Amino acid sequence: MDSTRQIRNIALIGFMGTGKSSVGRMVADTLHFTFLDTDDVIQARAGISIREIFDNHGEAVFRDWERRLVEELARRTKTVISTGGGLPANEANFVSLQSHSLVVCLWASPEKIYQRVKSQTHRPLLHDPDPQAKIRELLTAREPYYRKADVLVNTDFRSAREVALQVLHQFHMAQPVPQ
Ligand code: S3P
């Protein structure tokens, strides 16, 4: 890892249903860091749900909310940031996160993702006649972005607790060695 990088935060990226929020909360608790979920912040600011933002204003407006929030995050310290699944597909968002965070991607197979999200209704991009095909399509398109993360953790056969331990281990490894 580039020794000039300042890793003050942890950013969790990855597809919907990979456990970013649950894992992020566990990691933040253990480190006594603040936990921040980009979707939660955007919903609180907009005063409506993500689904309503998509329905009433369109995806482009949502992506703009994300972009502006990511710019603000560059000032944070000791924060675990859980990001919306599409956020790192904007190159500038990814570069900004990497300037202050260890970027960890939580990975899962399309089958596992479908199992985890099929009974949930709050994700507008999965309101599709064939959600499994939609998951495969989006995952394929986003894989190159997710793969740019500093660390990739496969969550298919790990509990949230095990994934959190992996993330904590990687974060400790990324800290500079005291001189
Ligand atoms: C999205 C993922 C969602 C949310 C929005 C769009 C995406 O977040 O930001 O529905 O583009 O993959 P989660 O990954 O937390 O579900």
Side-chain angles (χ1 to χ4, degrees):
M1 184 135 351
D2 176 356
S3 60
T4 62
R5 255 180 79 190
Q6 290 190 10
I7 297 185
R8 311 188 298 271
N9 306 305
I10 298 175
L12 298 179
I13 67 170
F15 205 79
M16 302 172 251
T18 51
K20 290 164 291 182
S21 301
S22 0
V23 169
R25 281 200 180 85
M26 286 177 191
V27 172
D29 278 355
T30 309
L31 293 173
H32 303 292
F33 276 24
T34 306
F35 174 73
L36 183 150
D37 182 305
T38 59
D39 285 343
D40 289 349
V41 174
I42 291 169
Q43 294 187 111
R45 288 182 178 177
I48 51 175
S49 67
I50 301 287
R51 192 174 166 176
E52 287 166 324
I53 301 177
F54 271 70
D55 287 351
N56 302 345
H57 306 287
E59 181 173 353
V61 168
F62 174 72
R63 298 301 171 199
D64 203 49
W65 280 94
E66 282 191 323
R67 185 188 57 73
R68 281 183 283 143
L69 175 56
V70 168
E71 281 175 10
E72 288 172 41
L73 294 177
R75 295 194 288 274
R76 310 255 349 172
T77 56
K78 298 192 174 207
T79 304
V80 178
I81 303 159
S82 167
T83 63
L87 185 147
N90 174 335
E91 175 80 19
N93 287 345
F94 183 87
V95 170
S96 180
L97 290 176
Q98 220 175 20
S99 71
H100 55 82
S101 296
L102 180 75
V103 180
V104 180
C105 176
L106 305 192
W107 182 261
S109 61
E111 295 74 26
K112 274 278 178 201
I113 290 168
Y114 181 65
Q115 290 307 316
R116 291 176 187 161
V117 302
K118 67 178 179 196
S119 55
Q120 303 171 345
T121 56
H122 64 280
R123 294 186 172 97
L125 292 177
L126 299 181
H127 295 165
D128 192 277
D130 187 349
Q132 283 179 280
K134 185 74 186 175
I135 289 169
R136 276 194 300 273
E137 176 199 316
L138 280 173
L139 195 58
T140 305
R142 290 180 180 168
E143 184 170 347
Y145 302 101
Y146 293 150
R147 285 200 177 276
K148 287 197 226 160
D150 298 308
V151 180
L152 204 64
V153 182
N154 189 341
T155 69
D156 272 0
F157 303 106
R158 289 188 170 109
S159 66
R161 167 81 39 210
E162 286 170 311
V163 176
L165 287 173
Q166 286 283 331
V167 175
L168 286 162
H169 175 68
Q170 295 293 337
F171 183 65
H172 290 310
M173 298 277 288
Q175 296 307 302
V177 181
Q179 297 298 316

